[in-house]
Amino acid sequence: MNTVKFSSLPLTPALLENIESLGYTQLTPIQAESLPPILDGKDVIAQAKTGSGKTACFGIGILSTLDLTNFRVQALVVCPTRELADQVCNEIRKLARFTQNIKVLALCGGTPARPQAESLGHGVHIVVGTPGRLQEHLRKRNLRLDNLKILVLDEADRMLDMGFEEAVSEVISYTPKQRQTLLFSATFADPIRELSRKFQSNPVTVSIEEGHHEDAIEQRFFQIEKNNRTNAMGYLLAYYRPESTVIFCNTKKDCHDVANGLERNGFSVQALHGDLEQKDRDQVLVRFANKSCSILVATDVAARGLDIKELQAVINFELPWDPEIYVHRIGRTGRAGNKGLALSLCTPQELPRVKAIEDYQKSSAQWDEVAPFKMTSEHQLNPPMVTLWIDGGRKDKVRPGDILGALTGEKGIAGSEVGKIDIFDNHAYVAIKRNSVDNALICLRSGKIKGRNFNVRKSQWG
């Protein structure tokens, strides 16, 4: 159990008093690991979820470096949404509430830019903003970062999900090379590590989640008769009701048959196999990754390189011959500290494959039973998101920030209702939470994106 106290850190008495007045005494695990290197001026990449205490980590780090006599921007926090930026501002203001003359400003879309520019003109110590609005103020030279000491990328994986990589890179291009850079993300997927390589210098890596462990995955085997495989799979989907599932098949034919069978019964499903053209593969992966499709049926070849966050379940429609492939399949769930579920159907003829898996993993298989079940449309799972298709993309100079701004402007929907944004050459896709789809369509159809009207509709495959 963590017993590190804030009083053990090299903080000023005023800042320590502020922290203790908020009722903070002991550090959370992420604070205990990341605050010492942050206070030491090192770059840090930290795996941290909402509610872990990460905002206090970089907030305390920022407040420890400020020169209050210099009313220039010394710290910049980049956030994916206006709501998160507001939360961060409030938290930093709370941490600084007994320290006079600290100026914290939020620069986000959905509110007029002119008053923000005026506030910048009066002098600000800390800016918290969203990528699109920060770009706008930097290009107009309202915001200058020559005196920046510390840069924070908060919920970096969410920013990449929303398509803000180019915007974030442009914002960082305005910052001094000599700076401290802190990167917080719920996952350490390859795109996040690439972001760190580009913009950080010898960062200290902090991951409270101990990474991917076999005990993070609940493995269950179900012995069935060969002619009952499809209904048994339907039973597993209906009983466990995972929000996102990859079903692995050994052949393209099974892949087609399983996907078609699930689709006939009203399930939200896509097939991923080697015969798909790149355009179709892109669409399938967009829809599954943005959670507007619940089930992906795939062959091992097609699933190479597949990295889906928060995948709740893997189902082996048929066990592979090679136990190493089995371990690779199930390793796609139970990542980044999440619990995963691996469910495998097995006929009597496949029992030697289970024995090979037991030998490989050096542990006994856990067996369970499938109840009598007939798959019908009443067992379907509605995915949490719906994909909207927009008839404009990179060639029309449409950026993720333009789409987000059109959705979240005056009388728009909350940024938290917007999911992954994917921009292609001639079109774009944006995922919207199911209960906000109608309002999102009204926003995009009645407003303008990039000063233009684009056709917008629910995706024909979403």
Side-chain angles (χ1 to χ4, degrees):
M1 188 174 173
N2 178 40
T3 55
V4 181
K5 299 194 176 215
F6 280 99
S7 56
S8 68
L9 297 172
L11 302 174
T12 63
L15 182 52
L16 197 55
E17 186 184 347
N18 284 359
I19 292 166
E20 289 178 349
S21 75
L22 293 170
Y24 300 157
T25 53
Q26 291 183 182
L27 281 73
T28 66
I30 190 72
Q31 291 165 354
E33 291 288 329
S34 62
L35 259 171
I38 288 173
L39 294 172
D40 204 25
K42 293 186 169 72
D43 285 6
V44 171
I45 173 172
Q47 187 171 346
K49 295 184 177 182
T50 302
S52 61
K54 64 182 168 66
T55 308
C57 282
F58 61 75
I60 290 167
I62 287 169
L63 294 172
S64 299
T65 65
L66 289 185
D67 173 3
L68 296 181
T69 64
N70 180 7
F71 282 86
R72 304 283 175 85
V73 178
Q74 296 169 54
L76 174 64
V77 184
V78 188
C79 301
T81 64
R82 184 173 66 201
E83 291 82 7
L84 180 61
D86 287 340
Q87 285 174 33
V88 168
C89 274
N90 291 337
E91 180 78 9
I92 291 175
R93 287 186 182 117
K94 277 200 300 186
L95 288 166
R97 63 184 177 167
F98 294 146
T99 309
Q100 292 185 338
N101 295 324
I102 287 186
K103 303 291 184 192
V104 185
L105 179 65
L107 297 181
C108 305
T111 53
R114 186 185 291 273
Q116 295 174 351
E118 290 170 358
S119 295
L120 285 167
H122 293 137
V124 173
H125 295 112
I126 304 166
V127 165
V128 183
T130 50
R133 184 53 62 92
L134 290 172
Q135 276 180 303
E136 187 180 327
H137 284 297
L138 286 165
R139 288 171 179 173
K140 291 179 178 175
R141 301 183 72 76
N142 300 328
L143 173 61
R144 293 172 181 266
L145 301 176
D146 306 337
N147 292 80
L148 192 78
K149 297 178 182 177
I150 185 165
L151 168 70
V152 181
L153 303 179
D154 193 14
E155 296 197 3
D157 51 338
R158 174 94 165 109
M159 282 196 278
L160 296 189
D161 276 354
M162 296 175 78
F164 283 137
E165 186 172 1
E166 285 181 21
V168 169
S169 296
E170 184 183 335
V171 168
I172 295 174
S173 74
Y174 286 88
T175 66
K177 290 235 178 325
Q178 294 301 313
R179 61 169 195 270
Q180 183 180 13
T181 305
L182 310 178
L183 192 158
F184 290 84
S185 171
T187 67
F188 276 172
D190 287 347
I192 293 298
R193 295 194 179 279
E194 182 57 32
L195 199 67
S196 173
R197 278 193 290 273
K198 278 171 70 177
F199 298 119
Q200 292 189 295
S201 175
N202 300 318
V204 174
T205 299
V206 175
S207 178
I208 299 308
E209 318 286 358
E210 294 182 356
H212 176 67
H213 286 293
E214 286 177 16
D215 59 7
I217 303 172
E218 180 185 346
Q219 299 180 55
R220 288 281 182 271
F221 291 82
F222 301 84
Q223 188 166 330
I224 46 121
E225 294 304 318
K226 190 171 184 179
N227 61 2
N228 194 36
R229 210 186 282 271
T230 300
N231 275 326
M233 182 190 57
Y235 167 79
L236 297 180
L237 290 169
Y239 180 81
Y240 289 99
R241 299 190 73 76
E243 196 173 88
S244 58
T245 307
V246 173
I247 298 172
F248 278 103
C249 297
N250 289 355
T251 67
K252 280 185 283 191
K253 182 182 183 307
D254 279 344
C255 199
H256 275 295
D257 292 347
V258 169
N260 290 340
L262 288 169
E263 191 172 41
R264 278 196 303 274
N265 284 288
F267 284 86
S268 168
V269 60
Q270 292 276 284
L272 188 69
H273 50 78
D275 288 347
L276 285 182
E277 291 185 11
Q278 189 60 45
K279 173 174 69 76
D280 297 322
R281 180 183 168 86
D282 287 342
Q283 289 187 348
V284 167
L285 291 178
V286 160
R287 188 179 168 211
F288 188 65
N290 73 18
K291 297 189 176 178
S292 62
C293 167
S294 300
I295 303 166
L296 187 69
V297 185
T299 57
D300 291 299
V301 172
R304 275 184 192 153
L306 187 66
D307 188 16
I308 304 295
K309 286 195 311 183
E310 297 170 14
L311 178 62
Q312 291 183 357
V314 166
I315 297 178
N316 288 297
F317 182 73
E318 182 182 359
L319 285 170
W321 286 99
D322 186 340
E324 195 170 338
I325 291 175
Y326 168 83
V327 170
H328 186 64
R329 282 181 181 183
I330 70 167
R332 296 167 191 278
T333 185
R335 292 185 172 185
N338 296 310
K339 288 288 184 185
L341 196 58
L343 311 171
S344 299
L345 301 177
C346 172
T347 64
Q349 294 78 14
E350 291 167 23
L351 287 173
R353 302 185 201 182
V354 180
K355 178 67 170 64
I357 289 166
E358 288 179 318
D359 292 344
Y360 187 85
Q361 294 192 133
K362 296 183 173 58
S363 63
S364 299
Q366 300 298 307
W367 290 91
D368 218 328
E369 292 185 1
V370 174
F373 181 84
K374 180 143 180 67
M375 192 158 56
T376 66
S377 58
E378 68 190 51
H379 298 113
Q380 67 188 55
L381 305 166
N382 278 329
M385 311 295 279
V386 173
T387 297
L388 300 184
W389 172 88
I390 300 166
D391 186 23
R394 287 194 198 97
K395 290 188 176 175
D396 304 287
K397 297 191 165 36
V398 171
R399 300 172 307 161
D402 302 322
I403 296 171
L404 188 65
L407 286 164
T408 60
E410 195 178 349
K411 297 182 181 174
I413 64 174
S416 55
E417 298 294 291
V418 183
K420 212 165 178 291
I421 299 173
D422 292 277
I423 310 280
F424 292 84
D425 282 347
N426 299 305
H427 56 272
Y429 300 108
V430 55
I432 306 290
K433 285 190 180 170
R434 188 167 286 278
N435 59 1
S436 294
V437 169
D438 292 340
N439 288 338
L441 280 167
I442 291 167
C443 289
L444 293 177
R445 285 171 175 168
S446 60
K448 291 189 186 307
I449 302 171
K450 206 81 179 172
R452 292 174 53 188
N453 294 109
F454 289 99
N455 289 329
V456 182
R457 57 173 166 75
K458 290 183 189 178
S459 172
Q460 61 192 20
W461 41 265

